[in-house]
Amino acid sequence: MTQRKENSTSDANEPQHTNEIVSGEKKSDERSKLTSSDQRSYEQEHFIDTGKPVWNYSLLTDEDVKNYQAGTNYTLYEKFGSHSVKVNGVWGMYFCVWAPNATSVSVIGNFNHWKNHEHELYPRWDKSGIWEGFIPGFNLGESYKYYIVGYGGKMQDKGDPFANFWEKRPLTASITWDMYYEWKDEEWMNKRKENNSLAAPWSVYEVHLASWMRPDKNDEETYNTYEQIRERLVPYVKEMGFTHVEFMPVMEHPFDGSWGYQCTGFFASTSRFGNPQGLMGLIDAFHSEGIGVILDWVPSHFPYDAHGLFMFDGTHTYEYADMRKGFHPDWNSYVFNYKRGEVKSFLISSARFWLDKFHIDGIRVDAVSSMLKLNYSRTHGQWEPNEFGGEGNLEAMAFIKDLNETVYRDFPDTQTIAEEATDWPGVSRPTWQDGLGFGMKWMMGWMHDTLDYFEMDPFFRQFHQDKFSFSMMYYYDENFMLPLSHDEVVHGKSPMLYKMPGDEWQKMANLRLMYTYMWTHPGAKLLFMGDEFGQTSEWNYKSELEWQLLQ
């Protein structure tokens, strides 16, 4: 293991390292609220051996573990991962991780010079596969990993699945962090139910934060900070009149070319732009202008990076062991095991985390079709039917229903939105009507028909009016969002402007006409960044939008 530079992430808002009060009395009190009663009861009932490098200490109750295993513990982020707590009058860090096939789990980092086995966590007596312990004097802002001796003696260093902050790629360690933030969006939160209602107008601006604007458009390694994005993006979206923004995944991910859709940090905003409080400030600023924020979220698959979830404890822990279900051929990634209660608790906790800690107004769930269908992108012999002989993944369907029921129970003034491209019935219908329970579904058929129609010479459109009108035949089957998303302006599909027929003037006139049709068609609208001013080249995630066109 190569040693990392001490305190590798420097930020003006980084918490101060101290064993008593981390960043003011208020912050310490906030962190202690959820744990103080558990601390007292645990310390009263159990002997804590303070003579060892790791103290035998737990935040978990028997009920926590039982619900975790049953797939019904949806606030795991409050206790799993790393948490700054005070034990026997000493500040330090409590660590909690699930590795059911491990024979040893150690915390390694700068604090112990990345030495294995020096700070070994304790396995719980209940055979839950949970490892935990308290390390006194462990500071906030410290890089760490778990050194896991797993199935078959396999040894590997893993990031924390519940980490709230990670090192900036290509570094891959997790960072202990505090999620305290003083929100100023009370007015928005009190009235957002009407703004996020299905009866409200939805005009969504889809944004890839890295490439919307860069400090240097010719250097893909440069990023604006969350604060710089806030100064530029919020007034722009306000001026353009959008009601909501949708961020392509801001969860931590190792590879820029995945656009964030191959995620390793399901409880962490990417460190490319700064710390979690920076993203909170960006969302807060949008709310102050009356603009809602939707986050893309990817519970469908994850990459095979060595520090991530794949083969977490030496065998298939988070993913299906049967690669006919567990491997995704389109994206060379791995599919979550929705049958496993611990995985279900993990994923729904992740969704709740963003709604709870970041005040987001909606979750757009990516690649729902791939979750629902066992034969998605698979040919004969590459998949196995479910117990009833059908193509549906019954476990994924149950997970999606529980996800939506939980979100609408706990955050009834938000929306869940499905990117679902098939004719699967009842995607945005309530679960009590045998639907999947989403608030909205992307209207992919409308998108394909509309682009086909407007790409034609106007003379020939008279022979294809069905593409213009067919959407209303099925519009009332679902609650639809009309998307002209990032997928339509990449991989040789051409920018929106050059999908239109005719000379330059006619192209622009046709594009304005298509947008007018889109905005007068029933349903929520979504437009990808750059489309609003007629970008003349395909989207390039390594650069920025063609702002020079506005000069």
Side-chain angles (χ1 to χ4, degrees):
M1 169 66 71
T2 56
Q3 289 196 15
R4 287 168 170 76
K5 183 180 177 183
E6 192 73 27
N7 304 333
S8 58
T9 57
S10 59
D11 191 287
N13 294 321
E14 180 173 326
Q16 299 300 306
H17 301 177
T18 165
N19 291 335
E20 294 181 1
I21 296 176
V22 179
S23 186
E25 203 68 55
K26 189 169 185 179
K27 218 177 227 190
S28 300
D29 291 345
E30 186 73 21
R31 280 199 319 277
S32 301
K33 279 179 187 175
L34 292 161
T35 60
S36 58
S37 60
D38 292 337
Q39 287 177 26
R40 284 196 301 272
S41 61
Y42 191 89
E43 293 180 52
Q44 286 168 359
E45 296 176 12
H46 300 83
F47 168 73
I48 296 179
D49 187 352
T50 59
K52 293 183 178 180
V54 180
W55 298 1
N56 54 306
Y57 177 78
S58 178
L59 288 179
L60 299 174
T61 65
D62 292 344
E63 192 72 13
D64 289 333
V65 176
K66 180 181 176 182
N67 286 329
Y68 176 50
Q69 294 173 318
T72 54
N73 188 334
Y74 303 147
T75 56
L76 296 180
Y77 51 89
E78 300 288 10
K79 296 185 178 181
F80 277 69
S82 61
H83 294 275
S84 180
V85 295
K86 186 186 265 188
V87 179
N88 284 351
V90 178
W91 278 105
M93 203 65 59
Y94 166 74
F95 293 92
C96 179
V97 65
W98 179 57
N101 300 292
T103 55
S104 173
V105 178
S106 307
V107 181
I108 57 175
N110 291 326
F111 77 105
N112 64 5
H113 306 290
W114 301 91
K115 291 182 180 177
N116 305 329
H117 299 294
E118 280 200 358
H119 290 80
E120 291 194 356
L121 300 179
Y122 298 94
R124 282 185 65 87
W125 57 269
D126 52 18
K127 298 182 180 178
S128 60
I130 297 170
W131 298 72
E132 58 186 346
F134 173 82
I135 301 178
F138 202 110
N139 294 321
L140 287 169
E142 291 278 359
S143 301
Y144 72 99
K145 281 187 176 182
Y146 295 121
Y147 169 72
I148 299 176
V149 181
Y151 180 79
K154 184 176 182 178
M155 295 171 284
Q156 51 189 353
D157 298 340
K158 288 289 187 178
D160 188 344
F162 290 89
N164 298 137
F165 198 23
W166 292 68
E167 291 182 323
K168 184 179 174 182
R169 63 104 183 97
L171 300 178
T172 57
S174 306
I175 299 172
T176 55
W177 205 254
D178 190 307
M179 294 303 290
Y180 177 77
Y181 177 82
E182 198 163 331
W183 287 91
K184 306 174 187 67
D185 64 348
E186 185 177 0
E187 182 181 353
W188 167 266
M189 296 296 283
N190 287 337
K191 70 175 185 179
R192 73 173 179 174
K193 183 174 183 178
E194 59 189 71
N195 295 319
N196 293 334
S197 163
L198 291 175
W202 283 68
S203 171
V204 184
Y205 187 54
E206 186 188 24
V207 181
H208 180 257
L209 287 181
S211 61
W212 184 76
M213 187 179 289
R214 291 185 186 271
D216 181 355
K217 68 178 182 180
N218 299 312
D219 184 358
E220 64 179 294
E221 293 298 317
T222 62
Y223 305 95
N224 284 313
T225 65
Y226 286 117
E227 290 74 20
Q228 291 168 329
I229 294 169
R230 181 178 67 203
E231 293 169 3
R232 295 159 174 78
L233 181 60
V234 175
Y236 180 79
V237 174
K238 179 72 173 177
E239 181 185 1
M240 296 302 294
F242 290 97
T243 65
H244 294 73
V245 289
E246 179 181 314
F247 297 157
M248 292 168 65
V250 294
M251 296 80 187
E252 193 56 84
H253 55 282
F255 176 49
D256 287 30
S258 75
W259 310 336
Y261 290 101
Q262 300 242 359
C263 176
T264 49
F266 286 81
F267 295 83
S269 56
T270 177
S271 55
R272 287 166 174 81
F273 316 116
N275 63 34
Q277 283 76 12
L279 177 58
M280 292 175 184
L282 175 60
I283 294 169
D284 212 355
F286 273 115
H287 285 172
S288 71
E289 296 292 349
I291 297 167
V293 179
I294 305 163
L295 295 188
D296 275 12
W297 182 63
V298 191
S300 48
H301 63 115
F302 57 88
Y304 55 82
D305 294 75
H307 63 286
L309 297 178
F310 177 61
M311 300 284 283
F312 188 75
D313 56 9
T315 187
H316 303 292
T317 312
Y318 283 88
E319 68 273 14
Y320 285 111
D322 183 349
M323 287 298 103
R324 290 176 298 178
K325 292 172 75 174
F327 179 72
H328 204 297
D330 282 359
W331 304 308
N332 200 27
S333 57
Y334 292 85
V335 179
F336 282 104
N337 183 350
Y338 305 108
K339 187 176 184 178
R340 199 160 194 172
E342 296 91 344
V343 173
K344 187 178 151 202
S345 291
F346 173 84
L347 287 172
I348 297 182
S349 289
S350 171
R352 278 193 94 266
F353 171 78
W354 298 100
L355 291 156
D356 181 9
K357 299 296 186 181
F358 285 82
H359 287 202
I360 64 168
D361 302 285
I363 292 176
R364 180 265 198 183
V365 183
D366 183 65
V368 173
S369 301
S370 72
M371 299 167 64
L372 292 173
K373 293 199 170 187
L374 294 167
N375 59 352
Y376 187 90
S377 289
R378 293 177 174 89
T379 59
H380 181 71
Q382 295 178 331
W383 66 285
E384 185 178 38
N386 62 34
E387 60 190 85
F388 302 109
E391 63 183 16
N393 186 333
L394 303 179
E395 298 139 15
M397 292 161 59
F399 157 72
I400 288 171
K401 290 179 180 182
D402 282 354
L403 164 72
N404 286 317
E405 287 175 355
T406 302
V407 169
Y408 285 112
R409 179 196 68 194
D410 298 344
F411 305 92
D413 51 357
T414 65
Q415 295 291 346
T416 60
I417 305 162
E419 190 227 0
E420 204 286 314
T422 70
D423 57 356
W424 193 280
V427 172
S428 61
R429 289 292 175 258
T431 55
W432 54 266
Q433 291 183 349
D434 203 28
L436 293 180
F438 285 100
M440 295 189 221
K441 169 181 171 171
W442 273 25
M443 199 174 188
M444 306 297 277
W446 171 90
M447 180 270 295
H448 288 299
D449 286 348
T450 297
L451 291 179
D452 286 348
Y453 182 82
F454 278 91
E455 284 173 1
M456 295 181 207
D457 185 288
F459 175 79
F460 295 107
R461 291 175 188 169
Q462 61 185 311
F463 307 115
H464 299 276
Q465 290 298 325
D466 58 314
K467 290 189 177 294
F468 187 81
S469 60
F470 179 62
S471 59
M472 293 310 297
M473 294 289 290
Y474 62 93
Y475 172 77
Y476 296 100
D477 294 344
E478 301 275 2
N479 305 323
F480 280 116
M481 175 176 281
L482 282 54
L484 292 177
S485 74
H486 61 276
D487 279 326
E488 310 320 313
V489 291
V490 290
H491 303 320
K493 295 179 183 177
S494 87
M496 282 294 165
L497 183 65
Y498 291 141
K499 294 180 190 293
M500 302 295 111
D503 58 26
E504 199 77 4
W505 186 94
Q506 290 171 319
K507 289 180 188 299
M508 292 183 180
N510 271 290
L511 187 57
R512 290 194 300 273
L513 180 64
M514 186 178 77
Y515 290 160
T516 303
Y517 163 62
M518 177 185 186
W519 250 256
T520 54
H521 191 291
K525 337 292 179 193
L526 178 137
L527 195 66
F528 183 57
M529 63 181 198
D531 291 352
E532 76 276 13
F533 60 77
Q535 176 136 320
T536 56
S537 64
E538 286 190 339
W539 170 51
N540 177 11
Y541 76 89
K542 296 182 179 182
S543 185
E544 67 174 13
L545 298 185
E546 296 178 310
W547 296 111
Q548 71 275 8
L549 294 176
L550 301 183
Q551 297 302 313

